[in-house]
Amino acid sequence: MQLLGKRAGAAPARAGRSSAVAKIPVVAGSRSRVLSTTVMATAATQVPVKEVPTKPIDGQKTGTSGLRKKTKVFMSDNYLANWVQSLFNALGDEVAGQTLALGGDGRYFGKEAAQIIVKLAAGNGFKKIYVGKDAIMATPAMSAFIRRRKAYGGLIMSASHNPGGPEEDFGIKFNYTAGEPAPEKITDKIYGETTSISTLKMADIPDVDLSKVGVTTFGGFEVEVVDPIADYLATLKEVFDFGMLKAFVTRADFSMVFDAMHAVTGPYAKAIFVEELGAKPESIKNGVALPDFGGGHPDPNLTYAHDLVELQWSDAGAMLGAASDGDGDRNMILGKKFFVSPSDSVAMIAANAQACIPYFKGGLKGVARSMPTGAALDRVAAKLGLPFFETPTGWKFFGNLMDAGKCSVCGEESFGTGADHIREKDGIFAVLCWLSILAYKNKDVPVGGQLVTVEDVAAEFWGTYGRNFFSRYDYEACESAAAEKMMDHVRSVIAASPPGTKFGAFELATADDFEYTDPIDGSVAKGQGLRFVFTDGSRIIFRLSGTGSAGATIRMYIEQYTNDKARLKEDAQVALKDIIKVALDLSKLQEFTGREKPTVIT
Ligand code: VG1
Ligand code: CO
């Protein structure tokens, strides 16, 4: 049965499942569950399986990237198990006899969650599960792992850039056969299953020791605990010239600093930047991964990566500064006293890729960015004559383009940069891209000479393409009703504003609620952001975040282009002052939310 259009015929049919069920009411203890047991499991795995009755739980709808809720919610009865079982139900017969991968960003509850998932995987007929040591695997590493090991898919236990710990967030997401975040046709189906779920299929096997690499077998089911770094590193070595990078990183006049924000990339950064490329151990800041990220917010932006920002704006700043998020898919790139906007970063990488990065030496197949992302990448596509795509927010929309060979490099303004070496955004990849660009541009500069800096690379790019000033204002944890009202108001402004309407000095070209038709499979995503596009190319966009776990986060995106040579180095907030005022006025954001200032400005 070809359920979801992938791996047709790859899964052997599930056969001979025994269904001798004996209901055993459990009366003792605090949990008033009714347990059932079956004696046998699938013919494929031959492990004993308990069929545990369960009930649907409200609100298990996947957001922009997986299901995210408060950790305590995830720890409550069957919350995690219901969603994972719903996923397996959605995948149906496809999963029998397949191999699954499992990892996470090491946040609080990950190890316990892993044990639950291992039992569900065995109970649902998978023949094997790979688990990252200590239940850890960064998001891009998981994508690489699925691809290299030809796993059927993988589960990532992470709420990404959201804080972790018992009082904060936990999350889970599923990546499919090409390593890509599950597309909406799967996540919609999972949600449907969560509303009618009645049984969990849990293998009756003991917890597995996840602290040691190795194989444990239960009947025909195998658990292999793996090094979470090795496969990812092997993939990165296929993309970059590690020899050239090492020669550059170890130059006496070069320095870098990477802030892992006490999140999953600590050990990856140590293995890759220090052990492979020879960076000094002290180049890694906050490199010890902690289950609560040291109480911080592991989001690499100018507000939350304050340690790094402070360092880079001091005289002790390194030539390259970088940070990554909870699960290692985001990146922030800084020079000395210089911030590279993520919308620019992806465009600068695309513009330099062919010359500087071996994986791209044949040229790019195409490029893509999410709709709110600044349009610098569009200019690169135009100049290089590349196919260009504008997708909704969220990495899942890039997967089809990459699978179809239409996109090599893509990015989001939200500190997400990636390429088709895997199917996730990739924080360390972005840092290696910048290292490659710097190494290439400095290859003829003698040690002690005038090195080409991050800022020089940006200035060169702006000199060629002009500059798309970009800023995003986040208003975190607003009251949901107020945020909805504001969005309704903005919709009414769009309805009342024909082309030609003046907003301050800006004349409207078009305004709409962004809708995307996937050029590969024709699927349509509606309601992806309210946008105003002005005749000079400036844009204002409003969206509600789909990754929060409580309340509403309003995102306001602002963009304006200039090719006035005198203005290229202007501060973005200064350059965008007028259009930001237009955006705040037209949305009445302050009036609706009571917020004077955003929580985060990028
Ligand atoms: C945010 C970003 C989006 C990104 C998503 C997941 O979503 O805007 O671009 O893909 O987070 O990133 P939203 O719906 O909150 O705006 V991660 O690193 O948290 O998986
Ligand atoms: Co992330």
Side-chain angles (χ1 to χ4, degrees), residues 64 160-161 325 329-330 412 414 425 543 545-547 555:
T64 311
S160 195
H161 62 283
D325 72 330
D329 55 358
R330 295 187 176 207
E412 294 191 279
S414 53
K425 55 186 185 260
R543 273 184 72 246
S545 158
T547 57
R555 305 205 193 283

Side-chain angles (χ1 to χ4, degrees), residues 467-482:
R467 180 168 174 194
N468 287 73
F469 287 104
F470 178 88
S471 184
R472 181 174 107 180
Y473 280 30
D474 293 329
Y475 298 82
E476 293 176 354
C478 292
E479 204 209 309
S480 296

Side-chain angles (χ1 to χ4, degrees), residues 104-164:
D105 60 11
R107 72 180 58 217
Y108 187 84
F109 185 53
K111 287 183 190 165
E112 295 83 348
Q115 299 292 351
I116 296 171
I117 294 169
V118 168
K119 293 182 176 75
L120 283 164
N124 280 272
F126 281 93
K127 78 166 190 300
K128 174 165 184 157
I129 188 166
Y130 291 108
V131 190
K133 185 168 171 289
D134 294 322
I136 284 174
M137 198 175 292
T139 290
M142 174 59 80
S143 187
F145 189 89
I146 293 170
R147 295 170 70 77
R148 294 189 85 83
R149 304 289 181 114
K150 302 203 174 3
Y152 168 82
L155 282 159
I156 305 169
M157 301 174 291
S158 166
S160 195
H161 62 283
N162 299 15

Side-chain angles (χ1 to χ4, degrees), residues 187-205:
T187 54
D188 289 349
K189 206 153 192 283
I190 301 169
Y191 179 59
E193 293 287 341
T194 66
T195 63
S196 63
I197 187 168
S198 61
T199 309
L200 305 172
K201 293 177 198 151
M202 305 276 286
D204 199 3
I205 55 176

Side-chain angles (χ1 to χ4, degrees), residues 260-312:
M261 303 188 82
H262 287 302
V264 77
T265 50
Y268 288 85
K270 187 165 172 270
I272 296 168
F273 299 128
V274 178
E275 284 157 22
E276 290 286 331
L277 298 180
K280 296 192 183 79
E282 52 282 16
S283 323
I284 314 296
K285 304 285 179 204
N286 300 320
V288 178
L290 298 171
D292 67 348
F293 309 123
H297 193 146
D299 194 354
N301 58 40
L302 293 169
T303 303
Y304 295 130
H306 36 74
D307 290 0
L308 178 70
V309 171
E310 246 167 61
L311 177 66
Q312 285 302 97

Side-chain angles (χ1 to χ4, degrees), residues 226-237:
V226 296
D227 170 357
I229 301 174
D231 287 68
Y232 177 58
L233 177 60
T235 292
L236 292 173
K237 283 188 170 171

